[in-house]
């Protein structure tokens, strides 16, 4: 049975005090209002991780994650952070392959495959992002792009390793633009992703793989998106910076 997950991605926002304050609000609101079995993850900038890890230890309902890791275990990589360092402060997840990392920092599928290996070695859950640009969508190449990202980034994994990965489909043209894939567009791609995983591994593994939607998801459209049969939650950007908005998205899964 695959998990429903709502993960917040704060990106490069919030100073130290703002981050601690927001996370405290989320933890308290989750405790009071969330009654479902969904998993909740907050992926913060590295400066927050240690303090959020301590706060998260008081709540079994909110996990924390990093927004990136280096592929090496340790070494002379000034400014980077390793999987073991992230794990040591209590984090359980890490976002890998976000379109902004691919576009602004030149991260390739081959590099990301190494980062996935590093995350799994330290028992971090990779939230692996895939998705197409506006040009790739308009030229109807998006299925090929997504399949290539999966093959090059993840399909070297064994069945057991792949089963630990969470996927996040993020149409790049809908990130931070206010545009959102229609429920039908999002479902079509999520179904394709699940079919591709089934062809590589097995229908059982595909059926148990959590696939999140990331692309201007907010309280007003989350319910419609999450009701699609192959959409298992969201990777939330801007709306995760407001505790009430984030909680309303989480509560879509309240049962």
């Amino acid at each position: 049975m695959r998990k429903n997950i709502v993960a917040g991605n704060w990106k490069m926002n919030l100073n130290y005090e703002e981050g601690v304050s927001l996370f405290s609000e989320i933890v308290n609101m989750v405790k009071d209002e969330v009654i479902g079995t969904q998993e909740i993850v907050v992926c913060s900038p590295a400066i927050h991780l240690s303090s959020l890890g301590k706060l998260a230890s008081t709540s079994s309902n909110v996990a924390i994650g990093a927004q990136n890791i280096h592929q090496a275990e340790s070494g002379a990589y000034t400014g980077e952070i390793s999987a073991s360092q992230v794990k040591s402060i209590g984090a359980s997840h890490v976002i890998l392959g976000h379109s902004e990392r691919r576009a602004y920092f030149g991260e390739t599928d081959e590099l990301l495959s190494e980062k996935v290996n590093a995350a799994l070695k330290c028992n971090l859950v990779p939230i692996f992002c895939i998705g197409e640009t506006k040009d790739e969508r308009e030229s109807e190449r998006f299925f090929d792009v997504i399949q290539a990202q999966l093959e090059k980034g993840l399909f070297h994994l064994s069945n057991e390793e792949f089963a630990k990965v969470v996927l996040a489909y993020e149409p790049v043209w809908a990130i931070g633009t206010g545009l959102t894939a229609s429920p039908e567009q999002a479902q079509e791609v999520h179904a394709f992703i699940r079919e591709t995983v089934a062809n590589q591994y097995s229908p059982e593994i595909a059926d148990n793989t959590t696939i999140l939607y990331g692309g201007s998801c907010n309280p007003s459209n989350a319910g419609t998106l999450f009701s699609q049969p192959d959409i298992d939650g969201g990777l939330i950007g801007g709306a995760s910076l407001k505790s009430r908005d984030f909680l309303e998205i989480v509560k879509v899964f309240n049962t």
Side-chain angles (χ1 to χ4, degrees), residues 10 39 54 98 164 223:
W10 289 357
E39 289 191 5
K54 294 174 183 176
H98 194 281
K164 300 175 182 177

Side-chain angles (χ1 to χ4, degrees), residues 24 105 118 153 155 191 193 235:
S24 297
F105 301 96
F155 282 0
I193 293 168
L235 179 60

